[in-house]
Amino acid sequence: MSSSIRTVVQALEDAADSVHTGFRFIDESKKSEPFFTYRDVERATARYAGAMQAMGLKKGERITLILPKNQDFVFAFLGALRAGIVPVPIYPPAGLRKLGGYLQNTLHVVRKSGARVVLTDGSIRRLLGTVQSGAPDLQRIEAIESLHDSREPFEPEKISLDDHCFLQFTSGSTSAPKGVIVSHRNIAANVRRFMEDGLEVETGDSGVSWLPLYHDMGLIGFVLGPLFYQNTMTYLPPILFLKRPVRWLETISRLRASISFGPNFAYALCVKRIRDADIEGLDLLSWRVAGCGAEPIRACDLDAFSRKFAPAGFDRRAMLPCYGMAEATLAISFDRLGKGVRTENVDADVLTGELKARVADPGRCRVIEVVNCGKTFEDHQVAVFAPEDAASEKPLPDRAIGELRVRGPSVTSGYFGEPELTKEAFAGDWLRTGDVGYIVDGDIFICGRQKELIIVNGRNYYPQDLEWEASRIDGVRKGNVIAFGTGKPLEDRERVVVAFETSVSDHDVRETLKQEVRKAVMRATGLSIDDVVDLDAGVLPKTSSGKLRRNETRRLYETGELFKRTSARRSDAIGIAKQIVRSQIAYARGALLMKK
Amino acid sequence: MSWTHEEVVIEVRSVVAEHSEADVDITETSELVADLEIDSLAVMEVVADLEDRFEITIDESELQDVVTLGEVVAAIENRLEADDKLKETVSA
């Protein structure tokens, strides 16, 4: 088996020799679990590739995949790659949710990617009428069922490392999802590092995953990685895990699997939902790497998991904190294997006040426990910079807090069809991660993020979406809503707050309005809203150009000042006047310097 | 075991009540997420409990655009009917 840099298509063709390892798909409703050797996978995907070519799709064109069944997704995704067609995965509609926001998001992705075909299943196809009519490049919405027995011949395409492999749209937003371009070279570089250096994967390793395949951790980590190294994988439907977390651990136990990953919330959910009686039947001795990534890691949650499942043979040293993001293909760093969760306590006041991570004794001051996410991989670099260092000229020293930036062969060339956003994503030749942290001897520690993203239960929520929903309610001042996450992301679940302005003065009406805002946002996002704050007109902080300042609002909320600002219009006006005066002085100084 | 419509409503209501932390009356028009404050993760627990009570498996596709308690009841009844476990309600 070759581990050299190859395209996914080459890796798939190489894997066709394997008649012992492959993919197993657990289907909840049929209670069956078909197993396909890599030889079977090679043959089946050629059929899908042929069927897509017969639809008139050419190399480089995009196909959107909305396929809730893992087996359909894997075959269609790999089939598209073989034909050089660029798949664009979209998450399927979630149950118990209104469809409105979902359809809007889907339409945006279809249009942005310029996809000519949407491939989905028969039941979802019926829901997508508005998508068909709203996307001019879209020629058809095809049901996967019609491809299952296709006999169309497949004409192999020449695929090179620099061809686009697929587009990874950042999840969760109706406002502006962006499509990260992932090339075959990106995949090859990242897979090699996390499989060989990160996981030290061996022939006998096998994985179990319930992770959604439209997301990088499930797709690259547990479909493409294993394919390159021909390890056996077993997939559970994500919804099965969410309904019955014990099924994840039962599957690992039954199949003697050695590698499985989940976001922090997955481990917490197992602790909360799995009954002691169910632990008795589990044997987790084979589980050598229990990876954790994709959202902030809280050591206490992972510790609780380790303790709870120790009687079933779970080894706490199997826990592996990781750090990564779609823009870096998947993985940026893994901690060392077999060490468990390593943390350090840093002085909370020094952290926020002096922007330094000073190790401190919990008995003597307020501390924050930060998880060590390990070192980045060979031929990749991670460094910390001051956010205003736009060209990444001066990396900050060890233990200084700043923005983490990364460069190397796993980093994307940018967002599809978005030159402006691509430019903003880089500082010099470094990718801005948007995460705030520090480095000690190469080990990466994350302590927060600059991005205004709200992350709950492994899902990213964009504040704009929540704000938009709230803005639609009568009585809420349009464009004067700010949503943000707050609390101590490392110690506690993120709390979600929506603050809005209103001209209504009647107390009871305002209370009703708050209820309506809460309901509208929850209905659209499925997210629990912890607090809704009603404010008088002009209270929310804005920039001089009138843009809402989310991080400032969060700060005011956390210090309690937000509630004291009964009407800040006057003080805002004074603030703006001061700014103008200041900028004029600066301009005058600049002019003087120029003269010299 | 077979179920009548009334029995289905009672069971669904009781399962939902166990998971709701909101201090409101539960009616057929109550929305699980917006009114009863059961978030998207907890809703999956509700579904699992419903599956146990009715001894059925509910596919996610059967829950699309289902948001109220009444719609959940209808989705369950569709599944029960498909599995031949729904009794005709005898009208008085």
Side-chain angles (χ1 to χ4, degrees), chain A residues 378-443:
Chain A
E378 199 180 311
D379 55 54
H380 292 70
Q381 284 142 23
V382 173
V384 174
F385 294 89
E388 60 274 14
D389 184 354
S392 300
E393 285 166 329
K394 272 189 247 156
L396 299 177
D398 269 15
R399 296 205 167 273
I401 309 292
E403 185 187 32
L404 290 158
R405 296 180 188 168
V406 56
R407 65 179 176 186
S410 301
V411 173
T412 180
S413 60
Y415 301 111
F416 186 78
E418 302 274 16
E420 280 306 308
L421 293 175
T422 299
K423 235 171 98 184
E424 285 171 24
F426 288 88
D429 59 347
W430 295 78
L431 172 78
R432 293 170 174 272
T433 64
D435 289 310
V436 174
Y438 61 92
I439 292 177
V440 184
D441 293 332
D443 284 336

Coordinates of all heavy atoms in Angstrom, one line a residue, chain A residues 378-443:
Chain A
E378 N 4.2 18.0 10.4 CA 5.4 18.3 9.6 C 4.9 19.0 8.4 O 3.8 18.8 7.9 CB 6.0 16.9 9.2 CG 7.4 17.0 8.7 CD 7.9 15.6 8.4 OE1 7.7 14.6 9.2 OE2 8.4 15.4 7.2
D379 N 5.8 19.8 7.9 CA 5.6 20.8 6.8 C 4.4 21.7 6.9 O 3.9 22.3 5.9 CB 5.7 20.1 5.4 CG 4.8 18.9 5.1 OD1 3.6 19.0 5.3 OD2 5.3 17.9 4.8
H380 N 3.8 21.8 8.1 CA 2.8 22.8 8.4 C 3.4 23.7 9.5 O 4.2 23.3 10.3 CB 1.5 22.2 8.9 CG 0.8 21.4 7.8 ND1 1.3 20.2 7.3 CD2 -0.4 21.6 7.2 CE1 0.5 19.8 6.4 NE2 -0.5 20.6 6.3
Q381 N 2.9 25.0 9.5 CA 3.3 25.8 10.6 C 2.1 26.5 11.3 O 1.2 26.9 10.5 CB 4.3 26.9 10.1 CG 5.7 26.4 9.8 CD 6.2 27.0 8.6 OE1 5.8 28.1 8.2 NE2 7.2 26.3 8.0
V382 N 2.2 26.7 12.6 CA 1.1 27.4 13.3 C 1.9 28.5 14.1 O 2.9 28.2 14.7 CB 0.3 26.5 14.2 CG1 -0.7 27.4 15.0 CG2 -0.5 25.6 13.4
A383 N 1.4 29.7 14.1 CA 2.0 30.7 14.9 C 0.9 31.7 15.4 O -0.2 31.7 14.9 CB 3.1 31.5 14.1
V384 N 1.3 32.4 16.5 CA 0.3 33.4 17.0 C 0.8 34.8 16.6 O 1.9 35.1 16.7 CB 0.4 33.3 18.6 CG1 -0.5 34.3 19.2 CG2 -0.1 31.9 19.0
F385 N -0.2 35.6 16.2 CA 0.1 37.0 15.8 C -0.9 37.9 16.5 O -2.0 37.5 16.8 CB -0.1 37.1 14.3 CG 0.9 36.3 13.5 CD1 0.7 35.0 13.1 CD2 2.1 36.9 13.1 CE1 1.6 34.3 12.4 CE2 3.0 36.2 12.3 CZ 2.8 34.9 12.0
A386 N -0.5 39.2 16.6 CA -1.5 40.2 17.0 C -2.5 40.3 15.9 O -2.1 40.3 14.7 CB -0.8 41.5 17.2
P387 N -3.8 40.5 16.2 CA -4.8 40.5 15.2 C -4.6 41.6 14.2 O -4.9 41.5 13.0 CB -6.1 40.8 16.0 CG -5.8 40.4 17.4 CD -4.4 40.5 17.6
E388 N -3.9 42.7 14.6 CA -3.7 43.9 13.7 C -2.5 43.7 12.8 O -2.2 44.5 11.9 CB -3.6 45.2 14.5 CG -2.5 45.3 15.5 CD -2.9 44.7 16.9 OE1 -4.0 44.0 16.9 OE2 -2.2 44.9 17.8
D389 N -1.7 42.6 13.0 CA -0.6 42.3 12.2 C -1.0 41.7 10.8 O -1.0 40.5 10.6 CB 0.4 41.3 12.9 CG 1.7 41.1 12.2 OD1 1.8 41.6 11.0 OD2 2.5 40.4 12.7
A390 N -1.4 42.6 9.9 CA -2.1 42.2 8.7 C -1.2 41.4 7.7 O -1.7 40.7 6.8 CB -2.7 43.4 8.0
A391 N 0.1 41.6 7.8 CA 0.9 40.8 6.9 C 1.6 39.7 7.6 O 2.5 39.0 7.0 CB 2.0 41.8 6.3
S392 N 1.3 39.4 8.8 CA 1.9 38.3 9.6 C 3.4 38.5 9.7 O 4.2 37.6 9.3 CB 1.6 36.9 9.0 OG 0.2 36.7 9.0
E393 N 3.8 39.7 10.0 CA 5.3 40.0 10.0 C 6.0 39.5 11.3 O 7.1 39.1 11.3 CB 5.5 41.5 9.8 CG 5.3 41.8 8.4 CD 5.2 43.3 8.1 OE1 4.7 44.1 9.1 OE2 5.5 43.8 7.1
K394 N 5.3 39.7 12.5 CA 5.9 39.5 13.7 C 5.2 38.4 14.6 O 4.3 38.7 15.3 CB 6.0 40.7 14.6 CG 7.2 41.6 14.3 CD 7.3 42.7 15.2 CE 7.1 44.0 14.5 NZ 6.6 45.1 15.3
P395 N 5.6 37.1 14.4 CA 5.0 36.1 15.3 C 5.2 36.4 16.8 O 6.3 36.9 17.1 CB 5.6 34.8 14.9 CG 6.8 35.2 14.0 CD 6.6 36.6 13.5
L396 N 4.3 36.2 17.6 CA 4.4 36.6 19.0 C 5.2 35.4 19.7 O 5.2 34.3 19.3 CB 3.0 36.8 19.7 CG 2.2 37.9 19.1 CD1 0.8 37.9 19.8 CD2 2.9 39.2 19.2
P397 N 5.8 35.8 20.9 CA 6.6 34.7 21.6 C 5.7 33.7 22.3 O 4.4 33.9 22.4 CB 7.4 35.5 22.6 CG 6.6 36.8 22.8 CD 5.9 37.1 21.5
D398 N 6.3 32.6 22.8 CA 5.5 31.6 23.5 C 4.7 32.3 24.6 O 5.2 33.2 25.3 CB 6.5 30.6 24.1 CG 6.8 29.4 23.2 OD1 6.4 29.5 22.0 OD2 7.3 28.4 23.6
R399 N 3.5 31.7 24.9 CA 2.6 32.2 25.9 C 2.0 33.5 25.7 O 1.2 34.0 26.6 CB 3.3 32.1 27.3 CG 3.7 30.7 27.7 CD 3.9 30.6 29.2 NE 3.9 29.2 29.6 CZ 2.9 28.4 29.8 NH1 1.7 28.9 29.7 NH2 3.0 27.1 30.0
A400 N 2.3 34.2 24.6 CA 1.5 35.4 24.3 C 0.2 35.0 23.6 O 0.2 34.1 22.8 CB 2.3 36.3 23.4
I401 N -0.9 35.7 24.0 CA -2.2 35.4 23.5 C -2.4 36.2 22.2 O -2.1 37.4 22.1 CB -3.3 35.9 24.4 CG1 -3.1 35.3 25.8 CG2 -4.7 35.5 23.9 CD1 -3.2 33.8 26.0
G402 N -2.9 35.6 21.2 CA -3.1 36.3 19.9 C -3.9 35.4 19.0 O -4.5 34.4 19.4
E403 N -4.0 35.8 17.7 CA -4.7 35.0 16.8 C -3.8 33.9 16.2 O -2.7 34.1 15.8 CB -5.2 35.8 15.6 CG -6.1 35.0 14.6 CD -6.4 35.8 13.4 OE1 -5.6 36.6 12.9 OE2 -7.5 35.6 12.9
L404 N -4.3 32.7 16.2 CA -3.6 31.5 15.6 C -3.7 31.6 14.1 O -4.8 31.8 13.6 CB -4.2 30.2 16.2 CG -3.9 29.9 17.6 CD1 -4.9 28.9 18.2 CD2 -2.5 29.4 17.8
R405 N -2.6 31.4 13.5 CA -2.6 31.4 12.0 C -1.8 30.2 11.6 O -0.9 29.7 12.2 CB -2.0 32.7 11.4 CG -2.8 33.9 11.8 CD -2.2 35.2 11.2 NE -3.0 36.3 11.8 CZ -2.6 37.6 11.7 NH1 -1.5 37.9 11.1 NH2 -3.4 38.5 12.2
V406 N -2.2 29.6 10.4 CA -1.6 28.4 9.9 C -1.2 28.5 8.5 O -1.9 29.2 7.7 CB -2.6 27.2 10.2 CG1 -3.9 27.5 9.5 CG2 -2.0 25.9 9.7
R407 N -0.1 27.8 8.1 CA 0.2 27.7 6.7 C 0.8 26.3 6.4 O 1.3 25.7 7.3 CB 1.1 28.8 6.2 CG 2.5 28.8 6.8 CD 3.3 30.0 6.3 NE 4.6 30.0 6.9 CZ 5.5 31.0 6.7 NH1 5.2 32.0 5.9 NH2 6.6 31.0 7.3
G408 N 0.7 25.9 5.1 CA 1.2 24.6 4.8 C 0.3 24.0 3.7 O -0.7 24.6 3.3
P409 N 0.6 22.8 3.2 CA -0.1 22.2 2.1 C -1.5 21.8 2.3 O -2.3 21.6 1.4 CB 0.8 21.0 1.8 CG 1.5 20.6 3.0 CD 1.7 21.9 3.7
S410 N -2.0 21.8 3.6 CA -3.4 21.5 3.8 C -4.3 22.7 3.7 O -5.5 22.5 3.7 CB -3.6 20.9 5.3 OG -2.8 19.8 5.5
V411 N -3.7 23.9 3.6 CA -4.5 25.1 3.7 C -5.1 25.3 2.3 O -4.5 25.2 1.3 CB -3.7 26.3 4.1 CG1 -4.5 27.6 4.0 CG2 -3.2 26.1 5.6
T412 N -6.4 25.7 2.3 CA -7.2 25.9 1.1 C -6.6 27.1 0.3 O -6.0 28.0 0.9 CB -8.7 26.2 1.4 OG1 -9.4 26.4 0.2 CG2 -8.8 27.5 2.3
S413 N -6.9 27.1 -1.0 CA -6.6 28.2 -1.8 C -7.6 29.3 -1.7 O -7.4 30.5 -2.1 CB -6.5 27.8 -3.3 OG -7.7 27.3 -3.7
G414 N -8.8 29.0 -1.1 CA -9.7 30.1 -0.8 C -11.2 29.6 -0.9 O -11.4 28.4 -1.0
Y415 N -12.1 30.6 -0.9 CA -13.5 30.3 -1.0 C -14.0 30.3 -2.5 O -13.5 31.3 -3.2 CB -14.3 31.2 -0.2 CG -14.0 31.2 1.3 CD1 -13.3 32.3 1.9 CD2 -14.2 30.1 2.1 CE1 -13.0 32.3 3.2 CE2 -13.9 30.1 3.4 CZ -13.2 31.2 4.0 OH -12.9 31.1 5.3
F416 N -14.8 29.4 -2.9 CA -15.2 29.3 -4.3 C -16.0 30.6 -4.7 O -17.0 30.9 -4.1 CB -16.1 28.1 -4.5 CG -16.4 27.8 -5.9 CD1 -15.5 27.2 -6.8 CD2 -17.7 28.1 -6.4 CE1 -15.8 27.0 -8.1 CE2 -18.0 27.8 -7.7 CZ -17.1 27.3 -8.5
G417 N -15.5 31.3 -5.7 CA -16.2 32.4 -6.3 C -16.3 33.6 -5.3 O -17.2 34.5 -5.4
E418 N -15.4 33.7 -4.3 CA -15.4 34.8 -3.3 C -14.0 35.4 -3.2 O -13.4 35.2 -2.1 CB -15.9 34.2 -2.0 CG -17.2 33.5 -1.9 CD -18.4 34.5 -1.7 OE1 -18.1 35.7 -1.9 OE2 -19.5 34.1 -1.4
P419 N -13.5 36.1 -4.2 CA -12.2 36.7 -4.0 C -12.0 37.6 -2.8 O -11.0 37.6 -2.2 CB -12.0 37.4 -5.4 CG -13.3 37.6 -6.0 CD -14.2 36.5 -5.4
E420 N -13.0 38.4 -2.5 CA -12.9 39.3 -1.4 C -12.8 38.6 -0.1 O -11.9 38.9 0.8 CB -14.2 40.2 -1.3 CG -14.1 41.4 -2.3 CD -12.8 42.2 -2.2 OE1 -12.5 42.6 -1.0 OE2 -12.1 42.4 -3.2
L421 N -13.7 37.6 0.1 CA -13.7 36.8 1.4 C -12.4 36.0 1.5 O -11.9 35.8 2.6 CB -14.9 35.9 1.5 CG -16.2 36.6 1.6 CD1 -17.4 35.6 1.5 CD2 -16.3 37.4 2.9
T422 N -11.9 35.6 0.4 CA -10.6 34.8 0.4 C -9.5 35.7 0.9 O -8.7 35.3 1.7 CB -10.3 34.3 -1.0 OG1 -11.4 33.4 -1.4 CG2 -9.0 33.5 -1.1
K423 N -9.5 37.0 0.3 CA -8.4 37.9 0.7 C -8.5 38.2 2.2 O -7.5 38.2 2.9 CB -8.6 39.2 0.0 CG -7.4 39.7 -0.8 CD -7.7 40.9 -1.7 CE -7.3 42.2 -1.0 NZ -7.7 43.3 -1.9
E424 N -9.7 38.4 2.7 CA -9.9 38.6 4.2 C -9.4 37.5 5.0 O -9.1 37.6 6.2 CB -11.3 38.9 4.5 CG -11.8 40.3 4.0 CD -13.3 40.4 4.2 OE1 -13.9 39.6 5.0 OE2 -13.9 41.2 3.4
A425 N -9.5 36.2 4.5 CA -9.2 35.0 5.3 C -7.7 34.9 5.5 O -7.2 34.1 6.4 CB -9.7 33.8 4.6
F426 N -6.9 35.6 4.7 CA -5.4 35.4 4.9 C -4.8 36.7 5.4 O -5.2 37.8 5.1 CB -4.8 35.1 3.5 CG -5.1 33.6 3.1 CD1 -6.3 33.4 2.4 CD2 -4.2 32.6 3.4 CE1 -6.6 32.0 2.0 CE2 -4.5 31.3 3.1 CZ -5.7 31.0 2.4
A427 N -3.6 36.5 6.1 CA -2.8 37.7 6.5 C -1.4 37.3 6.0 O -0.8 36.4 6.5 CB -2.8 37.8 8.0
G428 N -1.0 38.0 4.9 CA 0.2 37.5 4.3 C -0.1 36.1 3.7 O -1.2 35.9 3.1
D429 N 0.8 35.2 3.8 CA 0.5 33.8 3.3 C 0.0 32.9 4.4 O 0.0 31.7 4.3 CB 1.7 33.2 2.6 CG 2.9 33.1 3.5 OD1 2.9 33.7 4.6 OD2 3.9 32.4 3.1
W430 N -0.4 33.5 5.5 CA -1.0 32.7 6.6 C -2.5 32.8 6.6 O -3.1 33.8 6.5 CB -0.5 33.2 8.0 CG 1.0 33.1 8.2 CD1 2.0 33.9 7.7 CD2 1.7 32.1 9.1 NE1 3.2 33.5 8.2 CE2 3.0 32.4 9.0 CE3 1.2 31.1 9.9 CZ2 4.0 31.7 9.7 CZ3 2.2 30.3 10.6 CH2 3.5 30.6 10.5
L431 N -3.1 31.6 6.9 CA -4.6 31.6 7.1 C -4.9 32.0 8.5 O -4.4 31.5 9.5 CB -5.1 30.2 6.9 CG -6.6 30.0 7.2 CD1 -7.5 30.5 6.1 CD2 -6.9 28.5 7.4
R432 N -5.8 33.0 8.5 CA -6.3 33.5 9.9 C -7.3 32.4 10.3 O -8.4 32.2 9.7 CB -7.1 34.8 9.7 CG -6.3 36.0 9.3 CD -7.2 37.1 9.0 NE -6.6 38.4 8.8 CZ -6.3 39.2 9.7 NH1 -6.6 39.0 11.0 NH2 -5.7 40.4 9.4
T433 N -7.1 31.8 11.5 CA -8.1 30.8 11.9 C -9.2 31.4 12.6 O -10.3 30.8 12.7 CB -7.4 29.8 12.9 OG1 -7.1 30.6 14.1 CG2 -6.2 29.1 12.4
G434 N -9.1 32.7 13.1 CA -10.1 33.3 13.9 C -10.2 32.8 15.3 O -10.9 33.3 16.1
D435 N -9.3 31.9 15.6 CA -9.3 31.4 17.0 C -8.2 32.1 17.8 O -7.1 32.4 17.2 CB -9.0 29.9 17.0 CG -10.2 29.1 16.5 OD1 -11.3 29.3 17.0 OD2 -10.0 28.2 15.6
V436 N -8.4 32.3 19.0 CA -7.5 33.0 19.9 C -6.8 31.9 20.8 O -7.5 31.1 21.4 CB -8.2 34.0 20.8 CG1 -7.3 34.7 21.8 CG2 -8.8 35.1 19.9
G437 N -5.5 32.0 20.9 CA -4.8 31.0 21.7 C -3.4 31.4 21.9 O -2.9 32.5 21.7
Y438 N -2.6 30.4 22.4 CA -1.2 30.6 22.6 C -0.4 29.3 22.3 O -1.0 28.2 22.2 CB -0.9 31.1 24.0 CG -1.3 30.2 25.1 CD1 -0.4 29.3 25.7 CD2 -2.6 30.3 25.6 CE1 -0.8 28.5 26.7 CE2 -3.0 29.5 26.7 CZ -2.1 28.6 27.2 OH -2.4 27.8 28.3
I439 N 0.9 29.4 22.2 CA 1.7 28.3 21.9 C 2.8 28.1 23.0 O 3.3 29.2 23.4 CB 2.4 28.4 20.5 CG1 1.2 28.4 19.4 CG2 3.4 27.4 20.2 CD1 1.7 28.6 18.0
V440 N 3.1 26.9 23.4 CA 4.2 26.7 24.3 C 5.0 25.5 23.7 O 4.5 24.4 23.6 CB 3.7 26.3 25.7 CG1 4.9 26.1 26.6 CG2 2.7 27.3 26.2
D441 N 6.3 25.7 23.4 CA 7.1 24.7 22.7 C 6.4 24.0 21.6 O 6.5 22.8 21.5 CB 7.5 23.7 23.8 CG 8.5 24.3 24.8 OD1 9.2 25.2 24.5 OD2 8.5 23.7 26.0
G442 N 5.7 24.7 20.8 CA 5.0 24.1 19.7 C 3.6 23.6 20.0 O 2.8 23.3 19.1
D443 N 3.3 23.4 21.3 CA 2.0 22.9 21.6 C 0.9 24.0 21.5 O 1.2 25.1 22.0 CB 2.0 22.3 23.0 CG 2.6 20.9 23.1 OD1 2.7 20.2 22.0 OD2 3.1 20.5 24.2

